[in-house]
Amino acid sequence: MADITASMVKELREMTGLGMMDCKKALTETDGDMKAAEDLLRIKSGAKASKAAGRIAAEGVIGAYISADGQCGALVEVNCETDFVAKNEDIIDFARKLAELIATKNLTEITALNDVLLPSGETVEVFRKALIMKLGENISIRRCGRHATKGQLAYYLHGTKIGVMVDYAGGDEALGKDIAMHIAASKPMCVSKEQVSADVLAHERQIFTAQAAESGKPANIIEKMVDGRIAKYLAEITLLGQPFVKDPEQTIEKLLAKKSAKVNSFTMFIVGEGIEKKSENFAEEVKAQMEQAK
């Protein structure tokens, strides 16, 4: 039997939004398997998919750039240790310059940035190390996304924490901005249902089937219930299926059709997404420092 810790219960609660006792019971029943416990809670409670993907667990900024001709652009995520440093103009400006380098130098890997020269004449790596010395925190370049298109590009930054770049054709500049803002607000997984992987669908169908089975209804009714839930799920996670945030009466698909436009692809970065931030215990940290000083 696995030892179920308070931190495990807390993590599962953050992932599902369900009660502490329910989370502890699920972890006990699954012998501490976090994924199995999440699925068990979803089956029993009818809860939606994990909230973990949208959880921000590290600090930093998103930088964005689109070329003057609108044909190439990039997003980049730069991480630091505290929100205080993330608000510093030096790190914000560093992220902007990195995004421009990635777009204009046709870079797709973070490691390729190290020896590239910034406008100041310093390499990215030399400047990054100098920034660490100046700000007193570890600073890392986590990821980047570059777009090149024959259509149009638009981006939207929600502060410096969420960045979206959209590759679209047709419509106008205002439409591109609206779509980017919508993605930042509604966080779709992909553009259309055709892009949802078979594995993801199979997993969700398994969960929905287990949920529906608890209703005690006949198999043919359960099948229809599951089909309905899958359709609703696809509408929730795909850009085209979502209600437009500025006009919920129409979907993004209908909005694009009205404007004779099409979204080819998009990139969305959320600062710290998927990174677990170290839990700090200030009292323990002070105690450890005092022990070291002896």
Side-chain angles (χ1 to χ4, degrees), residues 33 42 44 49 71 85 92 101 111 126 132-133 141 170 173 175 201 207-208 210 223 230 235 292:
D33 186 322
R42 289 186 61 199
K44 290 187 173 182
Q71 298 299 289
V85 166
I92 294 171
L101 284 178
T111 52
V126 167
I132 290 172
M133 293 293 291
I141 307 166
E173 190 175 326
L175 175 66
L201 276 180
I207 296 293
F208 293 149
E223 186 177 354
I230 287 290
Q292 291 174 1

Side-chain angles (χ1 to χ4, degrees), residues 208-224:
F208 293 149
T209 300
Q211 289 174 349
E214 295 198 346
S215 69
K217 290 183 168 58
N220 63 321
I221 300 298
I222 287 176
E223 186 177 354
K224 289 180 180 178

Side-chain angles (χ1 to χ4, degrees), residues 160-178:
T160 57
K161 300 296 186 184
I162 302 176
V164 176
M165 186 157 292
V166 182
D167 177 348
Y168 68 107
D172 54 19
E173 190 175 326
L175 175 66
K177 193 77 169 182
D178 278 347

Side-chain angles (χ1 to χ4, degrees), residues 31-236:
D31 200 26
D33 186 322
M34 192 66 67
K35 183 59 182 171
E38 182 193 350
D39 286 348
L40 180 62
L41 284 173
R42 289 186 61 199
I43 290 168
K44 290 187 173 182
S45 70
K48 290 185 178 181
S50 171
K51 295 180 180 179
R55 193 167 64 233
I56 297 175
E59 300 303 336
V61 299
I62 305 295
Y65 171 83
I66 293 178
S67 62
D69 62 7
Q71 298 299 289
C72 69
L75 293 177
V76 64
E77 178 180 353
V78 177
N79 291 131
C80 56
E81 296 177 45
T82 64
D83 184 55
F84 178 76
V85 166
K87 293 175 180 175
N88 186 283
E89 188 57 39
D90 287 333
I91 196 171
I92 294 171
D93 186 58
F94 181 49
R96 288 194 201 106
K97 288 174 179 173
L98 288 177
E100 182 173 356
L101 284 178
I102 290 161
T104 56
K105 302 292 185 182
N106 192 17
L107 305 175
T108 56
E109 298 293 335
I110 289 299
T111 52
L113 271 171
N114 290 345
D115 297 324
V116 178
L117 293 178
L118 289 160
S120 62
E122 299 169 288
T123 66
V124 168
E125 183 61 7
V126 167
F127 188 87
R128 183 185 71 85
K129 288 179 178 178
L131 208 52
I132 290 172
M133 293 293 291
K134 180 179 181 179
L135 300 178
E137 286 191 9
N138 185 32
I139 293 167
S140 61
I141 307 166
R142 184 187 177 201
R143 55 180 172 169
C144 65
R146 184 182 187 274
H147 284 262
T149 182
K150 292 181 179 179
Q152 300 163 267
L153 292 176
Y155 77 81
Y156 171 72
L157 290 178
H158 187 71
T160 57
K161 300 296 186 184
I162 302 176
V164 176
M165 186 157 292
V166 182
D167 177 348
Y168 68 107
D172 54 19
E173 190 175 326
L175 175 66
K177 193 77 169 182
D178 278 347
I179 297 296
M181 289 176 66
H182 170 93
I183 292 169
S186 299
K187 300 175 179 61
M189 284 175 52
C190 53
V191 175
S192 66
K193 61 185 180 181
E194 288 76 21
Q195 295 173 344
V196 180
S197 76
D199 288 344
V200 168
L201 276 180
H203 180 72
E204 293 302 315
R205 185 172 287 278
Q206 184 180 22
I207 296 293
F208 293 149
T209 300
Q211 289 174 349
E214 295 198 346
S215 69
K217 290 183 168 58
N220 63 321
I221 300 298
I222 287 176
E223 186 177 354
K224 289 180 180 178
M225 289 171 64
V226 171
D227 287 343
R229 290 184 184 183
I230 287 290
K232 184 179 178 183
Y233 170 74
L234 288 172
E236 289 174 347

